[in-house]
Amino acid sequence: GENVEQHPSTLSVQEGDSAVIKCTYSDSASNYFPWYKQELGKRPQLIIDIRSNVGEKKDQRIAVTLNKTAKHFSLHITETQPEDSAVYFCAASPMFSGGYNKLIFGAGTRLAVHP
Amino acid sequence: DAGVTQSPTHLIKTRGQHVTLRCSPISGHKSVSWYQQVLGQGPQFIFQYYEKEERGRGNFPDRFSARQFPNYSSELNVNALLLGDSALYLCASSLALARGLTGELFFGEGSRLTVL
């Protein structure tokens, strides 16, 4: 069945260090891979996404890489800041026609950035 | 522009009761999806509606139902509530999709349901 595994479940770093979160997915038909940040009591907010025709995408301190052969994708945050502390979710979406856009989410990574 | 709005924000029900949750998508968005997020877990897909038709259903029992109205707002209904239905229910909207492509989902703040 469709599944997304996310590691680690918790990550603690010092301010200024880098953080890496990794996900694997099972459905080879997946073609869209977003990352969401969710602060306590808030909605999930999209921070970056990548489609299967691209191997890497970067937006300032955030980058995502995708290896379709291995069914892996990763989130990289450089120069971490205390405000980066939150729960991060990866997700994968299979390619379906007709306006279907189901996301399969990972279990989340709680990132703590210490000053 | 207003984002995705959901109501109510919080509610408490007892086992066996029924609940209706409401969602208004971002203006111009025709697709609405519902997700259940149990504390400490990632959101789980319940339903997707596009142009008022059900386009997808997750692994949830028939106690869960939904519909989309002509103005693209949506309702999620849950009958015969169980303790395990306690969760944050998230609504997300997205623009009309090109064939075979997935659009960005914009989430609302959610409706937090507690079943006692």
Side-chain angles (χ1 to χ4, degrees):
Chain A
E2 301 157 331
N3 186 49
V4 174
E5 293 192 0
Q6 183 171 348
H7 301 280
S9 57
T10 59
L11 181 58
S12 182
V13 300
Q14 291 297 123
E15 182 177 0
D17 287 350
S18 294
V20 179
I21 302 171
K22 299 181 179 182
C23 290
T24 60
Y25 60 97
S26 61
D27 189 345
S28 57
S30 296
N31 69 330
Y32 175 63
F33 306 90
W35 287 86
Y36 286 86
K37 175 183 180 182
Q38 188 174 30
E39 297 177 1
L40 191 62
K42 299 290 187 182
R43 72 182 78 187
Q45 290 196 298
L46 181 74
I47 55 172
I48 195 168
D49 58 11
I50 191 168
R51 296 189 183 272
S52 60
N53 58 345
V54 175
E56 184 174 357
K57 184 176 178 180
K58 189 174 181 180
D59 182 4
Q60 299 182 354
R61 297 185 297 109
I62 295 174
V64 57
T65 58
L66 172 64
N67 183 330
K68 282 219 76 179
T69 302
K71 298 183 190 173
H72 290 170
F73 58 115
S74 300
L75 177 72
H76 304 253
I77 306 174
T78 59
E79 301 172 23
T80 54
Q81 302 167 3
E83 50 266 38
D84 293 330
S85 297
V87 179
Y88 291 81
F89 292 98
C90 63
S93 180
M95 176 187 291
F96 286 108
S97 62
Y100 186 59
N101 63 351
K102 167 184 178 180
L103 289 183
I104 308 298
F105 282 86
T109 296
R110 183 173 299 279
L111 173 64
V113 181
H114 301 286
Chain B
D1 278 342
V4 177
T5 57
Q6 292 186 243
S7 63
T9 56
H10 296 81
L11 68 167
I12 299 173
K13 294 284 188 178
T14 57
R15 282 177 295 176
Q17 285 190 312
H18 160 270
V19 68
T20 297
L21 307 177
R22 296 177 175 84
C23 172
S24 292
I26 293 171
S27 178
H29 287 195
K30 298 181 179 180
S31 174
V32 171
S33 302
W34 288 94
Y35 288 78
Q36 181 196 64
Q37 187 176 24
V38 173
L39 194 63
Q41 298 181 17
Q44 287 208 332
F45 175 79
I46 310 176
F47 284 110
Q48 187 208 351
Y49 279 79
Y50 176 57
E51 287 283 15
K52 300 173 287 271
E53 291 185 4
E54 181 182 308
R55 295 307 178 105
R57 183 187 182 110
N59 188 24
F60 281 81
D62 291 344
R63 299 184 296 107
F64 288 76
S65 63
R67 55 180 176 167
Q68 187 176 32
F69 299 100
N71 66 353
Y72 303 108
S73 66
S74 178
E75 280 184 356
L76 175 69
N77 294 283
V78 187
N79 293 323
L81 285 168
L82 303 174
L83 295 179
D85 295 331
S86 295
L88 179 67
Y89 288 85
L90 295 163
C91 174
S93 74
S94 62
L95 281 169
L97 307 172
R99 189 175 184 86
L101 292 179
T102 300
E104 175 184 351
L105 292 190
F106 294 85
F107 284 90
E109 295 287 358
S111 294
R112 185 165 297 283
L113 170 65
T114 301
V115 181
L116 302 176

